[in-house]
Amino acid sequence: MRKLVLLGGGYGNMRILLRLLPNNLPLDTEIILIDRTPFHSMKTEFYALAAGTSSDQEVRVDFPESDRLTIINAEISRIGLEEKRVYLGNGQEVAYDDLVIGLGCEDKYHGVPGAEEFTHSIQTIGNSRKTYNELLGLPSDAIVGIVGAGLSGIELASELRESRGDLQIKLFDRSPRILRDFPERLSNYVKKWFDNHDVEVVSNANITKVEQNKLYNHEEVIPVDAVVWTAGIQTVKVVRDLNLESDGSGRVVINQYHQLPTDENVYVVGDCAGLPMAPSAQLAEEQAEQIVKILKAMWRSEPLPEKMPEIKLKGFLGSLGQKQGFAYLADRTVTGRIARLMKSGVLWMYKWHNG
Ligand SMILES: Cc1cc2nc3c(=O)[nH]c(=O)nc-3n(C[C@H](O)[C@H](O)[C@H](O)COP(=O)(O)OP(=O)(O)OC[C@H]3O[C@@H](n4cnc5c(N)ncnc54)[C@H](O)[C@@H]3O)c2cc1C
């Protein structure tokens, strides 16, 4: 049997499973999925898990069941590209014919001393649970610092405000205005929400050091009871350890078929893949659609398209608590209740298709 091994059951590989199972897989091919968690974790919702507004069960769905699919629940410790094998933490080795690396990303601390040691994370479901325990266990009036005001920082700050009205929340933004790369209307809307809900946005911030209960913004020392780091990501260590050619942001360089330029049987999907757009679940899924087409053509020994179509993304949707939201779709901004309903709708559809 030919083995297609999927590393990581995230957004990219879930889409590959959805498209290949049950009827699009050649009879001589089986799929093996390896993930450290026994279910698909919906990373886009980890902010709500950490803030205590979504339960653990609400941010995960089961992997599909099929007699063409074997699921291995284990930690991947090394990928052996030479020997076409994947090495697991439990000592097991898994051989592959085709491999899709979809292991996502982890926090990047930019060399800030103490950041890794003294901040909490929402990059994995395990870390989000720990962050939840920390944040929800804080006494009244405790100060929470959130470092990084990108989408995940904004969503976490607003959700935590609704979950814990009694905490002091400080959101540290590197830019002079929040969501600097998007129209000012969006920035103003989000800033106003924070002002109205007593979340302090610290603009032009530069966190230079973190210590136990202390954040250093430039030279200023800010007392904190807990800090969550949402200020940068990098591909996971297992992928960094491959020492493959990477783009400016550390993502693996791939060809137009999403394969390693040096190995047509190894594909990279999602946050690990070097694409010209910012990493997102949406991008991972669109890329997965193309990978499925390539895999099918390769299995049938058909020629590959001379030029792959450009991946087009719809934009993004963000939440400000349970009732308000903001979106940037087809170069238009949408704010308020409608944007929030759209986000909830997308999540509902996702669970419906994948649950
Ligand atoms: C708070 C937050 C909000 C976000 N909101 C949005 C949004 O609104 N829209 C959007 O498009 N994107 C959003 N993103 C980004 C999005 O979640 C990622 O781009 C997306 O998850 C990437 O998908 P992926 O397939 O690359 O991997 P992931 O979905 O990250 O999945 C990787 C999988 O690999 C597994 N894994 C990793 N390492 C190992 C290992 N060593 N051994 C075994 N298993 C391993 C993990 O358990 C996981 O299941 C958000 C991210 C965060 C953190």
Side-chain angles (χ1 to χ4, degrees):
M1 276 294 234
R2 190 176 176 91
K3 286 184 169 55
L4 166 64
V5 175
L6 306 180
L7 301 187
Y11 289 87
N13 278 333
M14 277 297 275
R15 180 59 65 92
I16 289 177
L17 287 172
L18 191 72
R19 292 290 177 253
L20 287 179
L21 295 173
N23 298 324
N24 276 316
L25 202 59
L27 288 173
D28 66 345
T29 304
E30 60 170 326
I31 307 182
I32 299 169
L33 168 72
I34 311 173
D35 200 295
R36 64 160 71 99
T37 58
F39 39 72
H40 164 60
S41 313
M42 289 183 283
K43 189 169 187 173
T44 60
E45 307 309 304
F46 285 177
Y47 69 90
L49 177 63
T53 50
S54 284
S55 72
D56 202 273
Q57 196 191 14
E58 284 170 294
V59 303
R60 53 181 154 89
V61 291
D62 290 339
F63 289 130
E65 272 178 36
S66 164
D67 52 10
R68 318 288 309 277
L69 170 68
T70 304
I71 297 171
I72 300 178
N73 181 203
E75 187 73 23
I76 298 154
S77 43
R78 188 165 76 81
I79 302 166
L81 294 175
E82 289 281 309
E83 59 275 33
K84 286 182 169 284
R85 272 177 184 272
V86 178
Y87 300 89
L88 307 185
N90 60 12
Q92 204 180 339
E93 295 178 14
V94 181
Y96 64 82
D97 297 290
D98 297 300
L99 184 74
V100 185
I101 302 173
L103 293 169
C105 64
E106 58 191 33
D107 292 296
K108 184 169 184 171
Y109 297 103
H110 311 284
V112 174
E116 186 166 2
E117 211 178 337
F118 297 112
T119 68
H120 298 277
S121 165
I122 54 169
Q123 285 300 330
T124 65
I125 194 163
N127 284 338
S128 303
R129 288 176 187 140
K130 285 184 198 156
T131 303
Y132 160 82
N133 270 328
E134 174 70 21
L135 296 179
L136 276 288
L138 289 169
S140 221
D141 228 27
I143 304 170
V144 177
I146 298 173
V147 181
L151 185 60
S152 48
I154 291 173
E155 291 189 317
L156 176 66
S158 52
E159 205 77 7
L160 185 61
R161 166 49 71 232
E162 286 196 350
S163 168
R164 292 281 314 259
D166 59 331
L167 296 177
Q168 296 183 51
I169 304 173
K170 293 174 191 278
L171 176 61
F172 294 89
D173 185 11
R174 214 181 158 85
S175 327
R177 78 166 157 97
I178 211 156
L179 294 172
R180 178 177 52 176
D181 297 334
F182 297 95
E184 218 164 331
R185 180 169 176 264
L186 270 194
S187 308
N188 293 342
Y189 179 77
V190 172
K191 177 70 169 55
K192 194 166 167 210
W193 193 96
F194 283 134
D195 290 346
N196 291 342
H197 291 82
D198 203 18
V199 172
E200 184 186 348
V201 178
V202 183
S203 305
N204 296 308
N206 182 19
I207 301 303
T208 51
K209 191 159 66 162
V210 191
E211 289 175 354
Q212 183 79 47
N213 298 121
K214 277 184 203 157
L215 262 183
Y216 291 76
N217 181 25
H218 300 277
E219 307 292 297
E220 189 191 356
V221 184
I222 295 162
V224 279
D225 295 285
V227 182
V228 187
W229 190 264
T230 55
I233 53 170
Q234 59 183 339
T235 53
V236 291
K237 185 165 181 303
V238 177
V239 174
R240 296 202 307 278
D241 285 349
L242 288 170
N243 288 321
L244 293 165
E245 190 188 349
S246 60
D247 67 9
S249 54
R251 297 188 286 172
V252 175
V253 169
I254 48 173
N255 64 21
Q256 62 162 334
Y257 307 118
H258 312 286
Q259 303 158 330
L260 294 184
T262 48
D263 191 338
E264 64 176 18
N265 296 114
V266 178
Y267 299 76
V268 188
V269 73
D271 289 358
C272 296
L275 290 168
M277 306 88 147
S280 70
Q282 207 187 129
L283 178 59
E285 290 179 325
E286 290 305 315
Q287 206 195 347
E289 296 283 353
Q290 294 200 347
I291 291 175
V292 167
K293 289 199 175 92
I294 300 299
L295 279 171
K296 282 162 70 178
M298 297 274 286
W299 289 333
R300 291 189 203 121
S301 301
E302 288 170 0
L304 301 184
E306 214 159 277
K307 187 157 173 29
M308 291 299 286
E310 196 187 324
I311 292 179
K312 292 212 170 72
L313 300 178
K314 295 178 191 80
F316 72 81
L317 286 160
S319 64
L320 288 169
Q322 299 287 307
K323 294 201 177 79
Q324 302 292 313
F326 54 99
Y328 188 61
L329 301 167
D331 291 336
R332 279 162 186 254
T333 56
V334 185
T335 53
R337 185 102 178 119
I338 290 179
R340 187 65 179 95
L341 285 171
M342 284 161 80
K343 184 167 161 107
S344 303
V346 168
L347 179 62
W348 188 88
M349 289 286 285
Y350 187 82
K351 286 186 180 177
W352 194 76
H353 281 295
N354 292 280

